[in-house]
Amino acid sequence: MIKIHDLYFKPFLTATQISDAVDNLAYQVNRDLADKKPVFVGILNGSYMVMADLTRKFKHDCEVAFLRASSYEGTSSTGELVESLNVDVDLTGRTVVIVEDIVDTGLTVDMLSRKLLKHNPAALHIATLFLKPDVYNRELKIDYVGLNIENKFVVGYGMDYDNLGRNLPELYVQTQRMKNIVLFGPPGAGKGTQAERLKEKYGLVHISTGDVFRYNIKNGTELGTLAKSFMDKGNLVPDEVTIKMLSAEVEKTPDAAGFIFDGFPRTDAQAKALDELLASKDTEIAGMVALEVDDEVLVKRLLERGKASGRADDANEGVIRDRISVYYKQTAPLKDYYAAQDKYHGVDGVGGLDEITDRLSVEFDKL
Ligand code: AMP
């Protein structure tokens, strides 16, 4: 996810996918206009990239000219006006191709084509790299299209949001701000169970570091073997290892709407690393939502869970008490870290499952 001015954007098309769309456009133009010595007329500013790439792939003689149309609204093409029509090539009797980066309602290209027709070209064609067929509403035929795309606001590859983003080699689409939440609480507070429910409800990606470690143990990986030696004793896996693993998990879903972090961070160093990781993605932790449960309830719950799940670290009351004491020593102070930023929200973690989900949802809704 990237931030441009006040808006957030997520990856939409890779440079390779864009290049394929240009190839498609170039194929059609090469096929039809090989011996026409066309004049490609680009609409500034957006079309400069597609113009450069398209004409490089045009295998015959051609000329290139530009017109400027300025957009008066940041995120839509309504209100676009043609500012100047000074083409320094005589278009009379020529095959003219208007080259657009994107056509949505078609207002600009329609108006331009009317104006260019007054120069009496032999033929006038429209070529656009991207077309939004859902909103295009003109009679004018778009002769050549690189790729049809959905009606979303995109930036990159020549296209801007309020003048920024044109230089991005990939295409990005507008999205909501990420909602990244730390679901907090001692072992046995019910974080995993509630995270599974909340991820569905809010469309977030759930990352449980404990689950990732257990997955690695089950599959006999090097990481699993290392983690097991700490987990079996109820100790924390070293920060360096955990932070690296967490970063890799986050990278797996670059277009996530947000994450529920469950079991991470557990130390001061992890909290700082998480802040840095999210800052590098122009986002942050929206809040820490904590399940508050008394120790004796926790021990009882964990022993029950151990019987049902067979989890080694839940089966032994000594290990359970060690985990709770590690929690109070190393993890619980993180409450202050987030409270200092006004991001701590505590919730009563004792009650029915639905009841607790409702309590957590009240806090999630506010973030
Ligand atoms: P959990 O499933 O969250 O209760 O985690 C089980 C065990 O995995 C913990 O007792 C730790 O040994 C290890 N673990 C999970 N998350 C972390 C973390 N963020 N930092 C260090 N160790 C962790």
Side-chain angles (χ1 to χ4, degrees), residues 185-188 191-192 208-214 217 227-239 241-243 245-246 262-267 270 302 305 311 313-314 319 323 326 330-331:
K191 300 187 294 291
S208 155
T209 40
D211 283 351
V212 181
F213 284 135
R214 281 185 286 278
I217 292 171
K228 191 174 186 319
S229 58
F230 295 94
M231 288 169 75
D232 282 350
K233 295 192 201 86
N235 291 329
L236 294 186
V237 179
D239 280 339
V241 177
T242 311
I243 290 168
M245 180 195 84
L246 188 276
D262 157 14
F264 189 96
R266 264 177 152 103
T267 65
Q270 290 181 14
L302 287 170
R305 185 167 83 183
R311 243 178 83 167
D313 58 351
D314 283 346
V319 174
R323 278 158 61 208
V326 165
Q330 299 192 59
T331 307

Side-chain angles (χ1 to χ4, degrees), residues 296-311:
E296 291 316 308
V297 179
L298 295 174
V299 176
K300 241 186 16 228
R301 277 194 196 171
L302 287 170
L303 284 169
E304 284 301 314
R305 185 167 83 183
K307 279 186 222 151
S309 73
R311 243 178 83 167

